[in-house]
Amino acid sequence: MRSKPEPPKFAMKLLQWFCKPWYVEVIEGDLYELFDREAEHSPNVARWKFTWNVIRFFRWRYIKDLDDFLPKSPFGMFKTYFKVSFRNMAKNKVQSLLNIMGLAIGIACCVIILTHVSHQTSFDKDIPQVEDIYRVTINGRGPYTPAQLVKYMKADYPEILNGTRLGGLGEVVIKQGDQFIKQQNVLMADSTFFDLFPNTFIRGEAKTALNGPNDVVLTESMAQKYFPEKDPIGETIEIDEVKCVIKAVVKDAPRATTIPYQIIQSIPWEKWATTGNWTGNNFYSYFKLAPGADPEILESKFPSFIEKYMGDEILKFNPQYNSYQEFVQDNNQHTFVLIPMRDIHLHHPRLTLGTPGNYNNLIIFSLVALFILLLACINYVNMATAKSSLRAKEIGIRKVLGSVKNLIAQQFMVESFVVTGAAIFIAIGLTLLVLPYFNLISENQYEVLDIISLRNIGWFFVIWVVVGLLAGLYPASFLSSFKPIAALKGESKTGGNQRLRSSLVVLQFAISMFLMVATFIVYAQLRHMSNRNLGLDAEQVFILSDADKIVSKMDRFKSLLMGNSNISNVAFTSGYPSGIIADWGYHSTGENVVSVDPLNVFADPNILDVWGLELTEGRFFEPGLKSDSMTIVINEQLQSELGWKDPIGKTLSRGGGQDFRVIGVVRDFVTRSAKNQGSSLLFRWSSASTPFANHFASIKVKGNITDALDHIDKTWADLLPGYPMDGQFMDDSFQRLYEGEKRFGKMFTGASVLAIIIACIGLFSLTAFILERKKKEIALRKVMGARVDQLFYGVSRYFVRLVLISAVLAIPISFYVGDFWLSSYVDRISLNTMIFLIPLLLMLVISLITISYQTYRSAIKNPVDALKEE
Amino acid sequence: MEEEKVQLGEFEELVLLITAILHENAYGVKVLDEIASQTGRKANISGVHTALDRLEKKGYLESYLGGATAERGGRRKRFFKVTNLGIQVLEINHRVRNTLFSQIPEALLQNK
């Protein structure tokens, strides 16, 4: 007799492997029975069917879970912790939601700021050996350096491996066909540029990219813009009326760079290196030092370098000194300082070619984000301990059933981690939701992938652990120390340390108040800067750029413009207030030579009227009077710097026989942002043929502005067909100086609104808790005849006191910090009481509104409902 | 037990009925066979098990393990028994069906 057929072993093993042990026997038995029946006909078919049936049992219900794999681990216990956590959250839905939302807002804040910080600190970090690349500055501040510096320093010092000079980033006009296109971010660079700052070449190669005088390298997106259909290599492109040849195409510059170029134009190397003088600073100089070379040792060699190459020229401009030694001894600092490339973005914002970073702001916003997160954590702690009376029975029972303190603490830690975890997921959603607005305010281009980056996922985990611990530790240790008998008797109704909870609420309100006052200060200063007296008619002056393009038709341009009744006057200048004005060195003549560096404005005689300046002494340039060409008009500040009582007729010299006679004095007017001191300034006489003198046309507009602008536009187009017009009103240009402050103000507003929301969430739930505890008291009072408004007063008194205490804490700190922030402004507001009083009142109103809803509801309740319990 | 509280899938109801018919003799394979012989419907053993487990969880069935025999590779059987709740549910369903069926117009039934 043949032996009885057996079901396939592996199928049996499979079943035993995946199936819960409790089910295995019964399932196996049924499968066996079916198998035996089938095997009588065909053992093979029976085996197949057996296997198939095993596979069919692969259902969620029968598959082992973690309990079965780890039967002896504390996992089972954790499972109940989770279960209890979820049940508790479901029981107090509103509270849990508020709790999670508060945490989520705090975490979202942190995530955004973290993303911002990690972007801001990553600038230039991907340049190979960036730690050996240095920027040369004058005295650590002046960004421009002489043309010949790189060439001679590289030759004199072997530790300098390589160097490059850059210029820009500038705006050019590119001619394509008969179209003129304005192009930003054009960099001038030496052929060695790519040795220091390599980029990936899509076409062409680094060695030959910038060798010729008019070579151009395009980035990928620029190649796409100008040559969408053909290969740009070897094509010519007309930049500012010079024909240039495209030699290479490189990848777009990275986002986190201090040299955000789009087009690179070669510097005609030889010409500049041999003719550039040593006192004209026109280039940015970068060096790559040998690995391990000490920049300080190199810097210590610079004074002799300066004396050797620049000594003579310095003496020419400072004739009061007989030798270079004498010049140095008289405390005239003039040396080159090396600044590490990687410090430029955050620590030397004056040196960047791109948008400057701001280290202080970064620190401030990191702190604010942490504060907001702290507020949210405090909320959690407050609510968790406030709810303790509701949990007292649970804790008591657990303890009676043999749970020890640690296990109960674990329960509350798990709860805090569950809540924090949920908050993180919501926070990610919130972050993605507000990202476009954050980008708008902070002028960044963060994308979804910047938020959900690998690095951030690490941060999410860190936040989860830190916030989970921070929020959970106190409630866990507090709640787990309940005495079981007292808890079961209902004696532990104190609901935690009332004083602690109150002081946490005070802290929350103090932080919110601080942020609110800070916002008020920022905006008050902004308003002050926008409204300050400039000493100019800035609202009526339209500044036209690129005026040198029409300088040959200057008279025609002027008369055409003035033909319109809405335009009263036109003047050409080399610079304008709120824009960049170069300072030039002058010195007085005769005895007591004084060297000064006033802002130097070439101006035609009309400027006095166009800008609305006031002459305090002497006269201004006379139109058409050629003999005025060697005269100047100074402002009052320059007069006082020179110490002249009677300036008319005195002489200022540029050296080398260029002497100018002072014919007038104008009242001081504002030329720069409120951060800067007023500066000394002088006007030089100019005509259409004076070099550098006619970059801008100032047009005085009155009456119908739209009509005037149309007319300017039409006149420009008539005289320079195809060339884009570029202009702005001077007051707008002044406003643009404060864009950083406006951004700062907006971000602060956002932060303080969030802080207030979180604090209000905390207040809301605290009120609910306190009213719940005072239910009987309120009911009794009502029975005794108290009116609703009296009850309301009784409850809100407590909260008003908290707000007032927090104000006492917050106001001195915000006064101190605000004063510190304002100290960087020369023209600043003084901190008056209103700045502190308005936020305080706002805070009181907000908190009263927050508590009033619940207070009112419990005050109008029928007292019987509260008293009949028990 | 109210009518609207009865939650029973079509296959579950079938399994519940069969279990009631088999009375104390119902276990996986037996239920499977009975379904096949009474309705001609070919179910899978895993489906029957799932239905039985679900009905037990809903409280309509209860189960106990039988003794080991030489058959089935020595594995024990898990027998199912209908609970009082299960009986109520069956009654409710039966009543509802009958009430509904009785309202069908005579003409419709005769003209089929």
Side-chain angles (χ1 to χ4, degrees):
Chain A
M1 185 185 139
R2 275 191 320 161
S3 66
K4 215 176 129 210
E6 281 290 317
K9 278 222 171 62
F10 85 94
M12 200 80 97
K13 282 254 164 65
L14 182 70
L15 185 72
Q16 282 160 5
W17 175 71
F18 75 71
C19 187
K20 284 189 176 165
W22 194 87
Y23 287 108
V24 167
E25 184 182 357
V26 176
I27 292 173
E28 273 180 0
D30 279 6
L31 292 184
Y32 242 110
E33 204 176 324
L34 291 172
F35 176 82
D36 284 345
R37 198 186 297 165
E38 189 72 39
E40 286 174 13
H41 310 290
S42 154
N44 276 335
V45 174
R47 276 190 201 100
W48 276 115
K49 282 201 170 162
F50 187 91
T51 312
W52 174 238
N53 279 335
V54 166
I55 292 168
R56 291 289 296 265
F57 268 100
F58 200 74
R59 296 177 182 217
W60 189 249
R61 174 184 300 272
Y62 300 115
I63 294 173
K64 284 177 183 169
D65 63 20
L66 275 173
D67 273 338
D68 301 302
F69 281 110
L70 309 163
K72 295 245 167 71
S73 77
F75 176 78
M77 203 60 215
F78 271 97
K79 216 163 103 173
T80 52
Y81 291 158
F82 278 105
K83 215 181 258 173
V84 172
S85 308
F86 284 120
R87 277 182 196 160
N88 258 308
M89 279 160 68
K91 211 160 137 195
N92 305 304
K93 286 198 189 69
V94 177
Q95 290 266 333
S96 322
L97 200 72
L98 286 176
N99 221 336
I100 292 176
M101 279 317 281
L103 272 179
I105 291 172
I107 293 170
C109 251
C110 265
V111 170
I112 286 183
I113 297 294
L114 266 173
T115 310
H116 187 59
V117 169
S118 65
H119 172 69
Q120 288 288 314
T121 50
S122 71
F123 268 69
D124 293 332
K125 293 281 167 20
D126 53 354
I127 298 171
Q129 290 150 49
V130 69
E131 64 278 4
D132 291 325
I133 297 179
Y134 290 86
R135 171 88 173 269
V136 185
T137 63
I138 294 179
N139 300 335
R141 300 182 73 242
Y144 296 97
T145 50
Q148 304 188 71
L149 182 91
V150 168
K151 184 180 173 187
Y152 285 96
M153 279 201 176
K154 207 169 128 186
D156 283 13
Y157 304 116
E159 58 265 54
I160 297 176
L161 292 184
N162 213 337
T164 192
R165 296 172 307 166
L166 307 180
L169 302 170
E171 187 187 72
V172 298
V173 171
I174 289 177
K175 192 179 173 205
Q176 218 182 17
D178 49 2
Q179 275 278 323
F180 292 90
I181 302 163
K182 285 233 167 187
Q183 175 62 50
Q184 312 269 350
N185 298 329
V186 178
L187 178 73
M188 305 261 282
D190 278 334
S191 58
T192 46
F193 176 75
F194 290 109
D195 296 338
L196 271 76
F197 310 112
N199 195 343
T200 312
F201 277 74
I202 293 165
R203 298 293 320 271
E205 51 178 342
K207 259 184 253 164
T208 57
L210 295 165
N211 283 353
N214 289 316
D215 285 354
V216 165
V217 175
L218 299 185
T219 55
E220 212 176 352
S221 52
M222 287 301 107
Q224 191 61 32
K225 178 176 170 188
Y226 290 104
F227 301 96
E229 256 132 48
K230 56 184 167 183
D231 180 10
I233 303 297
E235 293 288 328
T236 55
I237 186 169
E238 211 177 306
I239 299 178
D240 281 343
E241 291 159 31
V242 178
K243 283 196 163 44
C244 301
V245 182
I246 292 156
K247 285 296 185 68
V249 177
V250 295
K251 280 231 151 77
D252 286 354
R255 216 164 40 147
T257 177
T258 51
I259 315 174
Y261 57 83
Q262 290 188 301
I263 291 179
I264 309 175
Q265 226 184 334
S266 63
I267 298 170
W269 218 93
E270 280 311 314
K271 183 182 152 232
W272 274 98
T274 47
T275 61
N277 70 29
W278 281 100
T279 44
N281 301 318
N282 294 300
F283 289 95
Y284 309 122
S285 302
Y286 292 84
F287 284 127
K288 185 180 210 168
L289 304 190
D294 188 345
E296 279 178 33
I297 294 176
L298 184 58
E299 272 174 358
S300 69
K301 299 173 186 167
F302 288 160
S304 59
F305 180 93
I306 295 166
E307 188 179 357
K308 180 173 161 195
Y309 293 103
M310 304 168 62
D312 291 346
E313 278 187 53
I314 288 171
L315 285 186
K316 196 179 120 193
F317 285 95
N318 296 277
Q320 65 269 43
Y321 302 110
N322 294 318
S323 70
Y324 182 71
Q325 264 72 27
E326 222 176 277
F327 172 78
V328 174
Q329 273 158 22
D330 207 18
N331 272 331
N332 281 301
Q333 281 284 318
H334 187 99
T335 186
F336 297 116
V337 176
L338 297 173
I339 301 291
M341 178 87 183
R342 52 188 170 170
D343 288 353
I344 287 178
H345 178 68
L346 281 180
H347 299 280
H348 301 276
R350 294 165 56 94
L351 301 181
T352 182
L353 278 63
T355 317
N358 190 325
Y359 187 69
N360 286 341
N361 282 4
L362 215 56
I363 298 283
I364 289 172
F365 283 115
S366 306
L367 285 178
V368 168
L370 280 182
F371 270 150
I372 291 180
L373 191 59
L374 184 68
L375 290 186
C377 288
I378 290 176
N379 265 359
Y380 183 86
V381 172
N382 258 347
M383 270 190 252
T385 51
K387 278 193 304 186
S388 64
S389 59
L390 303 173
R391 304 291 295 271
K393 287 228 166 66
E394 175 198 336
I395 297 161
I397 294 282
R398 275 173 189 272
K399 283 206 165 174
V400 167
L401 293 180
S403 190
V404 290
K405 195 178 163 185
N406 272 349
L407 290 180
I408 291 172
Q410 265 176 26
Q411 163 72 49
F412 289 100
M413 287 312 290
V414 166
E415 269 174 43
S416 128
F417 276 97
V418 166
V419 168
T420 314
I424 284 178
F425 277 103
I426 294 176
I428 295 172
L430 275 181
T431 312
L432 297 179
L433 217 63
V434 300
L435 197 62
Y437 303 99
F438 178 74
N439 281 341
L440 208 67
I441 292 173
S442 69
E443 284 172 25
N444 279 298
Q445 285 102 41
Y446 296 123
E447 294 158 9
V448 175
L449 281 180
D450 293 321
I451 302 294
I452 312 177
S453 63
L454 209 60
R455 191 212 293 244
N456 270 11
I457 288 172
W459 276 115
F460 291 145
F461 190 75
V462 172
I463 291 175
W464 187 53
V465 172
V466 171
V467 174
L469 282 176
L470 212 63
L473 269 180
Y474 177 73
S477 74
F478 168 73
L479 292 168
S480 62
S481 60
F482 276 9
K483 299 259 180 308
I485 294 176
L488 285 175
K489 270 182 168 171
E491 278 171 7
S492 60
K493 280 223 166 171
T494 49
N497 190 336
Q498 185 66 35
R499 184 167 294 163
L500 178 86
R501 202 186 351 261
S502 302
S503 36
L504 287 177
V505 170
V506 166
L507 183 61
Q508 281 186 318
F509 275 93
I511 292 174
S512 310
M513 183 100 78
F514 168 76
L515 290 173
M516 198 138 84
V517 172
T519 312
F520 265 72
I521 293 177
V522 172
Y523 274 103
Q525 171 68 12
L526 256 174
R527 217 183 64 188
H528 175 74
M529 291 192 293
S530 311
N531 295 344
R532 72 192 180 132
N533 183 12
L534 299 172
L536 289 159
D537 290 342
E539 307 90 63
Q540 287 169 22
V541 180
F542 188 74
I543 307 278
L544 204 56
S545 304
D546 303 321
D548 40 345
K549 294 274 184 290
I550 46 164
V551 88
S552 55
K553 304 165 188 167
M554 191 200 259
D555 290 332
R556 216 173 126 231
F557 183 65
K558 280 187 178 180
S559 61
L560 275 175
L561 283 181
M562 267 134 83
N564 187 297
S565 61
N566 294 310
I567 294 168
S568 70
N569 210 341
V570 182
F572 280 65
T573 59
S574 62
Y576 62 95
S578 77
I580 294 167
I581 305 176
D583 50 345
W584 287 21
Y586 290 85
H587 59 84
S588 58
T589 54
E591 292 164 28
N592 293 330
V593 171
V594 182
S595 291
V596 287
D597 296 292
L599 301 180
N600 187 92
V601 182
F602 284 99
D604 80 19
N606 291 341
I607 204 67
L608 199 67
D609 172 49
V610 176
W611 286 359
L613 304 178
E614 193 186 334
L615 205 60
T616 54
E617 255 184 273
R619 64 177 180 90
F620 206 71
F621 310 124
E622 205 66 51
L625 196 63
K626 196 83 195 195
S627 60
D628 271 358
S629 67
M630 293 306 276
T631 60
I632 51 175
V633 174
I634 63 176
N635 72 350
E636 286 174 324
Q637 185 166 343
L638 181 56
Q639 178 188 357
S640 70
E641 272 178 30
L642 290 161
W644 287 346
K645 289 254 151 42
D646 179 26
I648 306 297
K650 291 231 164 66
T651 310
L652 275 181
S653 174
R654 278 281 285 161
Q658 290 189 75
D659 294 347
F660 300 91
R661 187 166 49 87
V662 177
I663 56 166
V665 180
V666 291
R667 177 144 292 160
D668 287 341
F669 56 94
V670 175
T671 52
R672 290 186 291 172
S673 113
K675 282 202 166 182
N676 302 106
Q677 297 280 357
S679 40
S680 57
L681 176 144
L682 59 76
F683 287 109
R684 285 267 300 267
W685 181 90
S686 74
S687 71
S689 54
T690 316
F692 315 119
N694 300 303
H695 283 309
F696 302 98
S698 297
I699 302 164
K700 188 153 201 166
V701 176
K702 54 172 191 191
N704 188 337
I705 289 177
T706 331
D707 192 42
L709 287 181
D710 280 348
H711 185 67
I712 297 169
D713 207 17
K714 218 172 87 222
T715 315
W716 179 268
D718 283 350
L719 295 180
L720 269 179
Y723 200 93
M725 189 190 87
D726 183 15
Q728 59 185 334
F729 278 98
M730 201 196 279
D731 59 335
D732 293 339
S733 172
F734 265 107
Q735 291 303 320
R736 226 154 277 152
L737 295 177
Y738 306 124
E739 241 145 49
E741 279 83 359
K742 280 185 190 151
R743 258 198 320 262
F744 189 72
K746 282 183 196 160
M747 285 174 77
F748 242 94
T749 313
S752 44
V753 166
L754 288 182
I756 291 166
I757 289 177
I758 293 177
C760 282
I761 290 177
L763 186 61
F764 187 81
S765 43
L766 187 68
T767 320
F769 164 73
I770 287 179
L771 288 176
E772 178 67 24
R773 288 234 329 267
K774 288 195 166 185
K775 207 158 67 178
K776 287 223 173 81
E777 179 195 327
I778 292 172
L780 274 178
R781 281 177 192 274
K782 219 175 165 188
V783 169
M784 297 302 188
R787 291 194 316 269
V788 170
D789 59 309
Q790 287 170 330
L791 292 172
F792 190 80
Y793 170 75
V795 176
S796 42
R797 205 176 44 180
Y798 169 69
F799 292 105
V800 169
R801 214 181 60 210
L802 291 188
V803 173
L804 288 179
I805 295 173
S806 65
V808 170
L809 279 176
I811 285 176
I813 298 173
S814 45
F815 180 87
Y816 178 76
V817 174
D819 202 56
F820 175 75
W821 183 73
L822 286 170
S823 68
S824 66
Y825 294 87
V826 175
D827 190 358
R828 52 163 278 190
I829 52 165
S830 53
L831 293 171
N832 57 26
T833 2
M834 287 313 271
I835 281 178
F836 301 101
L837 210 58
I838 295 171
L840 175 60
L841 288 177
L842 255 174
M843 203 64 153
L844 277 175
V845 170
I846 290 173
S847 52
L848 282 178
I849 291 172
T850 311
I851 63 171
S852 60
Y853 166 69
Q854 299 182 68
T855 312
Y856 180 71
R857 239 183 34 169
S858 60
I860 58 166
K861 257 193 198 148
N862 188 350
V864 175
D865 291 340
L867 290 175
K868 77 176 178 200
E869 270 176 25
E870 281 176 45
Chain B
M1 191 78 194
E2 290 158 32
E3 285 164 27
E4 56 266 31
K5 289 239 175 99
V6 175
Q7 285 182 353
L8 212 52
E10 184 264 342
F11 186 64
E12 280 173 20
E13 189 184 355
L14 182 63
V15 171
L16 187 59
L17 279 166
I18 298 287
T19 314
I21 294 168
L22 289 171
H23 189 59
E24 308 232 338
N25 199 19
Y27 69 95
V29 176
K30 193 86 182 169
V31 172
L32 184 74
D33 289 345
E34 198 67 19
I35 290 174
S37 66
Q38 294 259 9
T39 68
R41 182 165 168 172
K42 284 226 156 38
N44 186 279
I45 184 69
S46 61
V48 174
H49 271 255
T50 308
L52 287 168
D53 281 329
R54 278 203 186 128
L55 289 168
E56 185 178 24
K57 201 169 177 212
K58 286 177 184 172
Y60 303 157
L61 292 179
E62 55 191 21
S63 71
Y64 55 95
L65 287 177
T69 55
E71 288 167 16
R72 298 163 50 98
R75 269 74 167 179
R76 285 177 291 176
K77 289 174 184 165
R78 184 175 170 206
F79 288 107
F80 288 87
K81 204 177 112 191
V82 185
T83 61
N84 283 341
L85 189 65
I87 297 292
Q88 279 178 40
V89 165
L90 284 176
E91 277 170 358
I92 289 171
N93 271 8
H94 186 66
R95 198 173 61 235
V96 169
R97 297 263 155 85
N98 279 350
T99 321
L100 291 176
F101 192 86
S102 65
Q103 293 169 49
I104 300 174
E106 283 290 322
L108 198 67
L109 291 173
Q110 282 163 3
N111 289 345
K112 66 182 170 183

